[in-house]
RNA sequence: GGGCGUGUAGCUCAGGCGGUUAGAGCGCAUCCCUGAUAAGGAUGAGGCCGGAGGUUCAAGUCCUCCCACGCCCA
């Protein structure tokens, strides 16, 4: 463009080519320099607050592409709400504690378990954990910044900070004071060799196939109707748990039978579930009685082994009811040993059964147990089985192959083992949780009653404590002389008071906190902290207050920002953060912490599987953004498919986003600036005329913008980025491929109506897109939108959300344009089927379409011009004798009105003469005979398709018809020739690198039709191609271009 | 084993309240248009809408069962 002198306006041309990732880095620098994010917050400080909580990512391991998903949603709505005029503070947070961090550090240090950690030193170990967290936080911060997620990381909360821990302590004290924090036993997977419990995650890694004995044991009934006359038949694959058998569970609603196996007339009959009768006792068993499980409750039996002492003061060894009992395998009677099974434990607790455990923490039976004392637990199986055989209590023994959890480190089979543990009795507040859930808006809705509702309905107490190191220490101090005396500490200040020394600067982590002890006047003994730390999920569930250090600090700020209007995470958080956030809020404040929650599906690799190192299908997030741009990745996450479905991400999909959405948008903006600059357009000096005076096409673009603005706003209010994105993408396409294409000439001419309209539309569109694609819209705002606005803010993210321009909205016009575009499609289709090039002008076309007669002349002209046809005539005007009519019913309309009669009406319509019926139909008097009565047809009941009889090329669809007259006159042929020459010259201009405004000289040679055409239309050609002079029948320099009909063309740039 | 979700063209995905020729984009083939475009348009090949029953005048859509995959829980 250099060297072209043009009138100067405020716009500078944007290049049509753009490197989006490079642009994004420039924009990032600009944001940093101009402190744009901070200004969006400062400027809104006095506005109504819209509260968003950032769920802290666990800072162990590097961030993956799936982290972009949740972070895109966490960004788009705050941006939207900010533009709408809310104050949306956004504070980042990091989840720092927990077993994953410990395991990562253990692996770094090559540790094999807790003894290694203890030997290394807890202080040193925790220091390594802290260091690991800080390292990983850096990687997350980098990702956050690069993707344009605006969240304040300078004030990020960290769950390992002392102020955070103090808030968590405070909340636990509230829970304790309500009597909901209690110590109890917990049955958990446990490795007897390593002496440590395993997390679920660890257990999942260690399943191995194992062959266990499968034994059916007789337990004689000792009370009730069948006392001494029947045996319970109990199945188990863990004989080693039988010495501690405490009860037998049956399902309350299953039918149980007392039956005698075929051919066994002497032995006592057996009790089994009816559905398992054949499986357990074989064919032909004789059924003596039949009753439901409920009726067996509290029937006592004789236990299989007398090796272990049970307390005398509680009843044991009777039948209990349990819903979890199935009739899939075994006998439908399940042996209960509360020390070794989570279900057993829960059932036992409901019945007040004791937890009897003859096995020590190393996995061996204690020495005082007869028969198997000192045996490793599984090694005791054969001895126990043989003993039962000898005593005749074993009904049957088989081998059973199944997958069983093993320690992933040492491959020892795990025990489910009761360990003392601290619980929050969330089951006590189940009703409150359900009520809070009822008030919560879930997106998608089905989570509320489905996955999450089920989880709440089956709520079990929260096992809060962990026998680990790197976590928030459980703030319970217990008197070593009287363990029933406990003090729960709510802050370091309280602890200082209790100990009488200033502990305000103490690191509240282990091991330092473990050394803090105190005494209470008048009491014996010393208060020492219990050794456990707490579940890291409780940390994150406390973030609404703990991020402020509340209530010790910032109490007012916390209260003003509780609860949140909005949170968003992936679906795996249903039982994670979504639950803990609601549970902690309800426990402490009797109110859930959030009102709206968006629950996202997972991001999968291109092959539809989870991304994993093992499969080698990982897409690293940073390289992905540097290849396609963060805007493209964000757009995909927000608008590429349903947010709550699992979605596949890949390079193809992303480059499609770039081409279809981002570059189309960019090019429209670039096109605008090209002609705004070339023509020196200045809206202040030459504003667009009032809307009513602008061409229909301009008014259409503005009407579409109004309608899209309305739709996008509504969709985002409903947290529906997919619909919003679809509306935007369609509008971008319409704008580029219809409005701009149809308006090109007016832009070349610098028409202020066209330039003004496009500027207005780009303004609105850029604001609508800003929350989705903050980078490219920022650049367009600064270089395309702002220069044309008086007093424009310097960032689109400081701009206001567009309101719907009610005056511009024109749904009738939108509808008419839709008709125009459909007719154009049909015309093109007809052209193609006749192999008639659009470049060849035709004399006329016929059109049949509902609403055609009301179409404004300007829009008719659009169709004619687009199809390159001189004249368009309504088909009806040709005369019905030349037209075929076909007709069918609109099932939707008729079906809704007449129900099942619709089929008969359709048949009757088909049987009636179409031409006559259509004439009556248009006069409003049409009826068809159905079952002897005449059924009237009203407007909208029929789809009428009219086609000319012959001599035309026709395309029709959906009641619309376009027919082309292909007759070519010499005049039309010459007009076609001229179009051909113009196109050739334009092509040549482009390929030789001429600027759009460069003038040229043109030479041509040709004979006959070509000569005549170029002579006749010389001026038109010159005007089209910006030729200052045309040298007819004169060869230029060189080869020139081969034109149509034997002509030849030469061009050179005109010297000014 | 249970709960929830998903299954539509080779690929990625749309398909308010059920309405009779199931759509779009990518990719492929042929052609067209083009002085913003990495674009646009037309035609074609490519679909038992996971399978089987059922409800209905009418089912991709509603119901039941089954299959596959995913997530969560056992």
């Amino acid at each position: 463009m250099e060297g072209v002198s043009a009138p100067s306006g405020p716009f500078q041309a944007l290049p049509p080519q753009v490197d989006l990732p490079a642009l994004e880095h420039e924009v990032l620098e600009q944001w940093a320099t101009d402190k744009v994010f901070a200004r969006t917050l400062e400027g809104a400080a006095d506005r109504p607050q819209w509260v968003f909580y950032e769920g802290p990512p666990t800072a162990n391991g590097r961030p993956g592409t799936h982290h972009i998903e949740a972070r895109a949603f966490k960004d788009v709505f705050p941006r939207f709400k900010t533009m709408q005029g809310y104050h949306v503070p956004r504070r980042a947070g990091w989840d720092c504690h927990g077993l994953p961090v410990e395991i990562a550090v253990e692996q770094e240090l090559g540790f094999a378990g807790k003894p290694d950690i203890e030997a290394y030193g807890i202080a040193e170990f925790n220091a390594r954990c802290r260091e690991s967290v800080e390292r990983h936080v850096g990687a997350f911060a980098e990702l956050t910044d690069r993707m344009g997620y605006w969240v304040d990381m300078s004030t990020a909360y960290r769950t390992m900070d002392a102020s955070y821990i103090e808030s968590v302590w405070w909340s636990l004290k509230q829970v304790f004071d309500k009597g909901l924090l209690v110590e109890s036993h917990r049955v958990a997977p446990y490795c007897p060799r390593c002496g440590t419990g395993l997390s679920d995650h660890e257990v999942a890694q260690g399943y191995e196939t194992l062959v266990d004995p499968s034994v059916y044991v007789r337990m004689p009934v000792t009370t009730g109707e069948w006392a001494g006359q029947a045996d319970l038949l109990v199945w188990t694959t863990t004989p080693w748990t039988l010495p501690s058998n405490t009860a037998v569970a049956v399902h309350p609603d299953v039918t149980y039978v007392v039956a005698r196996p075929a051919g066994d007339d002497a032995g006592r009959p057996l009790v089994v579930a009816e559905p398992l009768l054949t499986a357990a006792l074989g064919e032909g068993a004789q059924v003596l009685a039949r009753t439901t499980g409920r009726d067996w409750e509290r029937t006592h039996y004789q236990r299989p082994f007398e090796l272990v002492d049970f307390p005398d003061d509680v009843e044991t060894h009777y039948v209990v009811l349990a819903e979890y009992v199935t009739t899939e395998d075994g006998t439908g009677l399940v042996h209960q040993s509360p020390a070794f099974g989570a279900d057993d434990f829960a059932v036992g607790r409901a019945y007040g059964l004791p937890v009897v455990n003859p096995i020590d923490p190393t996995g061996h039976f204690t020495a005082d147990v007869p028969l198997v004392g000192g045996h490793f637990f599984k090694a005791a199986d054969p001895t126990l089985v043989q003993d039962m055989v000898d005593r005749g209590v074993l009904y049957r023994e088989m081998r059973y192959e199944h997958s069983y959890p093993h320690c992933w480190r040492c491959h020892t089979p795990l025990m489910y083992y009761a360990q003392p543990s601290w619980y929050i009795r969330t089951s006590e507040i189940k009703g409150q949780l359900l009520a809070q859930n009822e008030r919560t808006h879930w997106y998608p809705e089905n989570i509320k009653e489905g996955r999450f509702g089920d989880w709440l309905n089956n709520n079990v107490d929260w096992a809060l404590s962990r026998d680990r190191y790197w976590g928030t220490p459980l703030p319970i101090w217990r008197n070593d002389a009287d363990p029933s005396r406990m003090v729960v500490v709510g802050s370091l200040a309280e602890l200082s008071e209790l100990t009488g020394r200033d502990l305000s600067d103490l690191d509240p982590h282990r091991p330092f906190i473990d050394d803090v002890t105190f005494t209470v006047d008048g009491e014996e003994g010393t208060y020492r902290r219990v050794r456990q730390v707490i579940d890291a999920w409780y940390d994150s569930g406390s973030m609404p207050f703990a991020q402020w250090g509340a209530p010790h600090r910032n109490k007012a700020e916390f209260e003003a920002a509780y609860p949140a209007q909005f949170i968003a995470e992936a679906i795996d958080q249903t039982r994670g953060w979504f639950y803990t956030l609601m549970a902690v809020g309800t426990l402490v404040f009797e109110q859930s912490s959030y009102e709206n929650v968006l629950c996202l599906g997972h991001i999968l690799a291109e092959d539809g599987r989870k991304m994993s190192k093992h499969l080698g299908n990982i897409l690293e997030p940073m390289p992905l953004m540097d290849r396609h741009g963060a805007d493209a990745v964000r757009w995909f996450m927000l608008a590429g498919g349903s947010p709550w479905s699992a979605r596949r991400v890949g390079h193809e999909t992303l480059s499609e986003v770039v081409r279809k959405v981002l570059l189309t948008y960019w090019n429209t903006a670039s096109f605008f600036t090209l002609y705004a600059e070339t023509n020196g357009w200045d809206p202040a000096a030459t504003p667009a005329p009032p809307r009513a005076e602008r061409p229909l096409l301009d008014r259409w673009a503005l009407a579409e913008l109004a309608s899209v603005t309305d739709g996008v706003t509504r969709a985002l209010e409903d947290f529906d980025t997919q619909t919003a994105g679809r509306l935007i993408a369609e509008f971008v396409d319409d704008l580029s491929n219809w409005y701009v294409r149809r308006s090109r000439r007016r832009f070349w001419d610098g028409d202020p109506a066209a330039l003004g309209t496009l500027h207005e539309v780009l303004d609105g569109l850029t604001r609508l897109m800003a929350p989705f694609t903050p980078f490219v819209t920022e650049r367009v705002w600064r270089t395309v939108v702002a220069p044309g606005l008086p007093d424009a803010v310097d960032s689109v993210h400081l701009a206001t959300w567009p309101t719907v321009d009610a005056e511009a909205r024109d749904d009738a016009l939108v509808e008419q344009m839709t008709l125009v575009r459909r007719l154009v499609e049909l015309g093109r289709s007809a052209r193609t089927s006749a192999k008639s090039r659009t470049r060849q002008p035709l004399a006329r076309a016929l059109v049949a379409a509902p609403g055609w007669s009301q179409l404004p002349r300007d829009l008719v002209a659009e169709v004619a011009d687009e199809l390159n046809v001189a004249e368009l005539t309504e088909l009806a005007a040709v005369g019905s004798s030349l037209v075929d009519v076909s007709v069918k019913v609109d099932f939707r309309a008729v079906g809704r009105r007449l129900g099942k009669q619709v089929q008969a009406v359709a048949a009757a319509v088909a049987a009636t003469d179409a031409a006559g019926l259509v004439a009556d139909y248009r006069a409003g008097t049409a009826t068809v005979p159905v079952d002897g009565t005449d059924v009237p047809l009203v407007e909208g009941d029929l789809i009428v398709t009219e086609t000319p009889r012959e001599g035309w090329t026709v395309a029709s669809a959906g009641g619309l018809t376009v027919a082309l007259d292909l007759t070519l006159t010499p005049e039309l042929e010459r007009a076609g020739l001229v179009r051909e020459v113009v196109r050739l010259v334009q092509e040549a201009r482009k390929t030789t690198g001429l600027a759009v405004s460069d003038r040229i000289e043109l030479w041509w040679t040709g004979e006959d039709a070509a000569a005549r055409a170029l002579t006749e239309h010389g001026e038109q050609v010159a005007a089209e191609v910006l030729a200052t002079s045309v040298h007819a029948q004169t060869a230029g320099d060189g080869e020139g271009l081969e034109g149509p009909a034997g002509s030849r063309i030469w061009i050179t740039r005109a010297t000014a």
Side-chain angles (χ1 to χ4, degrees):
Chain A
M1 265 21 97
E2 280 154 48
V4 177
S5 68
S8 68
F11 298 101
Q12 288 200 338
L14 282 181
Q17 263 81 37
V18 61
D19 177 347
L20 290 171
L23 177 149
E24 291 177 354
H25 284 289
E26 291 164 20
V27 170
L28 281 170
E29 275 178 38
Q30 216 161 26
W31 283 344
T33 311
D34 299 348
K35 301 193 168 22
V36 179
F37 174 41
R39 285 163 59 208
T40 66
L41 291 170
E42 284 159 19
D46 53 347
R47 299 194 187 139
Q49 190 167 232
W50 194 76
V51 181
F52 157 74
Y53 290 161
E54 158 76 339
T58 306
N60 82 300
R62 294 189 55 82
T65 295
H66 60 283
H67 285 103
I68 301 179
E69 185 194 29
R71 291 171 112 58
F73 283 92
K74 292 172 178 187
D75 189 54
V76 71
F77 293 109
R79 284 181 186 268
F80 166 59
K81 287 290 168 182
T82 298
M83 290 177 78
Q84 275 193 323
Y86 290 89
H87 183 222
V88 191
R90 282 157 270 175
R91 168 185 287 181
W94 311 107
D95 196 9
C96 307
H97 288 146
L99 203 53
V101 179
E102 292 193 32
I103 287 173
V105 170
E106 278 195 72
Q107 279 170 351
E108 279 172 31
L109 296 173
F111 287 178
K114 285 162 86 172
D116 288 343
I117 297 171
E118 309 249 349
Y120 184 73
I122 296 173
E124 291 73 16
F125 182 75
N126 276 355
R128 294 292 295 251
C129 288
R130 178 184 293 272
E131 184 270 325
S132 164
V133 164
E134 278 163 355
R135 189 160 17 110
H136 288 122
V137 161
F140 272 93
E142 197 188 337
L143 174 90
T144 301
D145 186 61
R146 175 63 187 90
M147 67 172 283
Y149 173 30
W150 276 359
V151 62
D152 186 356
M153 289 186 282
S154 67
T155 61
Y157 65 90
R158 304 190 303 174
T159 60
M160 64 184 179
D161 289 343
S163 68
Y164 197 101
I165 289 173
E166 283 190 279
S167 288
V168 172
W169 283 1
W170 169 83
S171 71
L172 286 170
K173 188 179 168 110
Q174 311 307 307
V175 175
F176 183 83
D177 288 347
K178 292 179 183 179
L180 297 174
L181 178 55
V182 297
E183 187 181 32
S184 184
H185 282 73
R186 173 191 185 201
V187 175
Y190 179 87
C191 174
R193 197 204 66 87
C194 302
T196 180
L198 274 76
S199 70
D200 294 350
H201 171 77
E202 290 172 296
V203 172
Q205 294 182 352
Y207 275 87
E208 292 174 24
T209 300
L210 191 72
V211 178
D212 272 324
S214 159
V215 296
Y216 293 74
V217 183
R218 287 175 177 274
M219 302 195 184
V221 174
T222 58
T223 62
E225 187 187 347
W226 293 91
Q229 302 184 50
D231 294 348
L232 305 178
L233 189 63
V234 174
W235 177 73
T236 182
T237 57
T238 52
W240 59 272
T241 61
L242 284 170
S244 56
N245 170 273
T246 309
V248 167
V250 299
H251 193 286
D253 302 323
V254 165
T255 301
Y256 287 82
V257 294
V258 181
R260 181 169 273 140
D264 176 16
D265 298 331
R268 274 195 302 273
L270 295 156
V271 181
V272 297
E274 186 167 40
L276 291 163
L277 178 60
T278 308
L281 303 188
E283 296 285 347
Q286 181 193 357
V287 175
L288 307 175
R290 180 181 278 113
T291 179
T292 62
R294 203 178 299 282
D295 295 332
W296 286 95
E297 190 179 16
R298 296 204 178 263
T299 302
H300 284 67
Y301 64 87
Q302 189 186 331
R303 59 174 168 144
F305 291 100
E306 303 280 347
L307 305 174
V308 177
D309 291 335
F310 275 73
D312 297 331
D313 54 345
V314 285
E315 244 183 287
T316 57
H317 302 101
Y318 56 84
V319 175
V320 297
L321 304 182
E323 298 277 345
Y324 84 89
V325 173
T326 70
T327 53
E328 295 293 323
D329 45 25
T331 63
L333 289 90
V334 179
H335 148 63
Q336 300 286 291
S337 181
F340 305 113
D343 287 322
D344 312 36
F345 186 83
V347 170
R349 193 144 53 141
Y351 280 87
L353 294 170
V355 177
V356 171
N357 182 0
I359 296 180
D360 70 18
T362 67
H364 295 79
F365 278 91
T366 50
D368 58 333
V369 179
L371 191 66
V372 290
H375 282 55
F376 193 61
F377 68 104
K378 268 192 176 298
D381 283 345
T383 310
L384 293 165
V385 169
Q386 187 56 51
D387 184 64
M388 288 191 290
V389 171
D390 295 345
R391 290 187 289 119
V393 299
L394 192 73
Y395 171 71
R396 189 148 68 125
E397 187 202 357
M398 302 187 317
R399 310 299 286 169
Y400 185 74
E401 188 177 296
H402 61 153
S403 88
Y404 188 86
H406 288 62
C407 178
W408 63 278
R409 292 198 195 97
C410 66
H411 301 281
T412 304
L414 299 181
M415 288 165 65
Y416 283 81
Y417 192 75
Q419 303 152 58
S421 181
W422 291 85
Y423 284 84
I424 295 178
R425 297 171 63 190
T426 49
S427 54
E428 289 284 308
I429 61 158
K430 178 170 142 183
Q432 280 184 66
L433 289 170
L434 286 167
Q436 292 300 321
N437 186 39
E438 200 50 48
R439 290 221 286 270
T440 306
H441 301 286
W442 284 87
Y443 302 88
E445 214 170 347
N446 67 289
I447 306 282
K448 177 176 181 169
E449 303 297 335
R451 189 180 282 226
F452 196 74
D454 283 349
W455 169 248
L456 291 183
N457 269 313
N458 297 315
N459 189 272
V460 295
D461 289 345
W462 184 346
L464 186 71
S465 60
R466 296 286 184 271
D467 291 299
R468 297 295 309 189
Y469 309 97
W470 179 237
T472 298
L474 194 57
I476 300 172
W477 271 258
R478 176 179 253 177
N479 189 308
D480 57 8
D482 176 2
S484 71
R485 291 178 182 272
M486 287 179 277
V487 173
V488 176
V489 173
S491 67
L492 287 171
E494 274 181 53
L495 198 58
S496 302
E497 216 166 291
L498 287 163
T499 57
R501 55 195 177 103
D502 180 10
L503 297 173
S504 52
D505 287 331
L506 179 76
D507 176 353
H509 284 99
R510 297 188 69 189
F512 316 108
I513 195 71
D514 298 342
D515 298 335
V516 178
T517 60
F518 55 87
T519 56
V520 172
D521 287 345
E523 283 183 23
E524 267 185 67
T526 301
Y527 283 84
R528 300 177 193 282
R529 197 187 73 82
V530 302
R531 278 297 175 264
Q532 289 106 330
V533 298
I534 66 166
D535 182 2
W537 285 109
Y538 190 93
D539 287 347
S540 55
S542 303
M543 65 70 63
F545 50 94
Q547 66 171 330
W548 297 102
H552 311 307
R553 306 166 179 82
N554 305 309
K555 191 159 186 272
E557 285 83 348
F558 156 63
E559 281 168 359
Y562 189 90
Q565 259 87 57
F566 170 68
I567 60 172
E569 304 290 338
I571 191 160
D572 54 313
Q573 295 299 327
T574 320
R575 282 140 200 233
W577 196 57
F578 293 151
Y579 173 64
T580 62
L581 203 57
M582 183 182 282
V584 173
T586 306
L587 282 165
V588 179
F589 305 109
E590 281 155 26
Q591 186 190 7
S592 174
S593 317
Y594 53 90
E595 293 169 0
N596 296 291
V597 48
L598 187 54
C599 194
L600 306 168
H602 280 126
I603 294 300
L604 305 175
E606 206 156 19
D607 57 8
R609 293 191 288 184
K610 230 174 128 168
M611 288 188 197
S612 80
K613 276 183 200 156
H614 174 66
L615 294 169
N617 57 1
I618 289 185
L619 281 179
E620 289 291 343
M622 297 298 282
L624 202 63
M625 287 191 284
D626 279 331
R627 176 158 161 190
H628 302 282
D631 278 341
V633 182
R634 290 173 61 112
W635 183 275
F636 169 79
M637 297 296 177
L638 296 167
S642 175
W644 26 81
S645 302
R647 292 175 292 162
R648 304 181 183 197
V649 62
H651 293 300
E652 275 304 309
T653 314
L654 289 171
S655 74
E656 194 178 319
V657 168
V658 171
R659 280 182 292 119
K660 306 291 291 189
V661 182
L662 301 181
L663 287 180
T664 308
Y665 165 73
W666 176 267
N667 282 314
T668 305
S670 156
F671 174 88
F672 166 81
T673 55
L674 176 60
Y675 290 100
E677 184 192 51
T678 305
N679 291 291
W681 181 65
D682 181 356
T686 45
R691 294 218 180 117
E693 291 167 27
R694 291 188 216 174
L696 274 177
L697 206 58
D698 291 350
R699 281 151 61 187
W700 170 77
L702 293 166
E704 284 281 7
L705 175 67
S707 149
V708 168
T709 302
D710 187 32
V712 170
T713 307
R714 283 170 195 274
L716 291 183
E717 298 277 12
D718 197 33
F719 300 101
D720 181 357
T721 51
Q722 185 188 15
T723 299
R726 203 192 68 236
L727 290 171
I728 290 171
E730 282 169 5
F731 185 53
V732 165
D733 188 66
D734 286 346
L735 189 64
S736 170
N737 291 315
W738 187 251
Y739 176 73
V740 170
R741 188 161 61 79
R742 292 301 315 152
S743 308
R744 268 191 201 128
R745 258 159 220 281
R746 293 164 55 216
F747 285 97
W748 300 346
D749 298 342
D751 176 4
L755 288 161
T757 300
L758 186 52
H759 184 262
E760 252 177 86
V761 171
L762 284 170
D763 178 355
L765 175 61
T766 299
R767 292 179 204 234
L768 291 177
M769 286 175 72
F772 289 79
T773 54
F775 296 96
V776 67
T777 53
E778 183 74 317
R779 173 59 58 85
V780 169
W781 177 267
R782 292 195 188 208
T783 56
V784 181
V785 177
L789 296 177
D791 309 319
V793 290
D794 63 344
S795 165
V796 68
H797 306 295
L798 290 161
T800 55
W801 187 253
T803 50
V804 179
D805 186 342
E807 197 192 330
R809 189 142 187 183
D810 188 342
D811 292 344
L813 177 58
V814 166
E815 186 120 336
Q816 288 183 320
M817 195 63 84
T818 305
L819 175 62
V820 164
R821 295 181 70 180
R822 278 169 53 201
L823 291 172
V824 167
E825 278 173 30
L826 283 174
R828 287 193 189 121
S829 174
R831 281 261 189 192
T832 301
S833 62
K835 296 203 188 309
S836 164
R837 309 176 133 194
T838 312
R839 216 178 293 139
Q840 173 60 58
L842 296 177
R844 65 171 183 162
L846 301 180
V847 175
W852 172 258
S853 53
Q854 289 90 50
L855 216 54
R857 192 184 304 169
D858 283 359
L859 296 187
V860 173
E862 295 289 339
V863 180
D865 190 55
E866 190 69 14
L867 294 179
N868 200 12
V869 171
E871 187 193 331
L872 288 168
T873 314
E874 188 165 12
L875 188 56
V878 184
S880 59
S881 63
L882 298 173
V883 176
D884 280 328
V885 178
S886 67
V887 64
K888 64 175 186 172
V889 302
D890 184 333
F891 277 84
R892 191 178 193 126
V894 179
R896 186 171 303 165
R897 191 170 86 249
L898 300 177
K900 59 163 60 176
Q901 259 194 321
V902 66
Q903 304 296 355
V905 172
V909 165
T912 309
D913 168 60
L917 183 66
V918 167
D920 290 347
Y921 174 66
R922 292 204 166 131
T925 61
T927 61
V928 287
V930 175
D931 297 336
T933 54
D934 284 341
V935 175
L937 296 174
V938 302
E939 171 73 27
D941 282 355
L942 298 181
I943 296 169
V944 179
T945 303
E946 296 169 286
T947 48
R949 205 154 282 171
E950 50 193 30
W952 301 83
T953 294
V954 182
S956 47
L960 307 179
T961 296
V962 173
L964 302 176
D965 181 352
L966 296 176
T967 316
L968 288 187
T969 62
E971 288 78 12
L972 288 170
E973 281 176 2
R974 290 198 295 276
L977 266 169
V978 168
R979 287 274 296 242
E980 187 73 20
V981 168
V982 168
R983 192 193 66 81
L984 264 173
V985 172
Q986 301 288 39
E987 186 70 33
R989 286 184 59 118
K990 201 170 166 183
T991 51
T992 49
L994 294 179
V996 290
S997 52
D998 284 342
R999 300 304 196 255
I1000 60 166
E1001 284 192 60
L1002 185 142
W1003 291 260
W1004 62 265
T1005 59
E1007 295 172 3
D1008 305 331
R1012 190 168 163 196
L1014 287 170
T1015 307
E1016 273 176 6
H1017 299 282
E1019 279 182 33
Q1020 186 202 330
V1021 173
E1024 284 284 322
V1025 303
L1026 300 183
T1028 50
S1029 55
V1030 178
H1031 308 279
Q1033 297 294 17
T1034 311
D1037 291 338
E1039 282 291 295
L1041 304 160
E1042 190 183 331
S1047 59
R1048 194 154 277 278
I1049 319 284
W1050 294 261
I1051 64 169
T1052 64
R1053 184 164 152 191
T1055 44

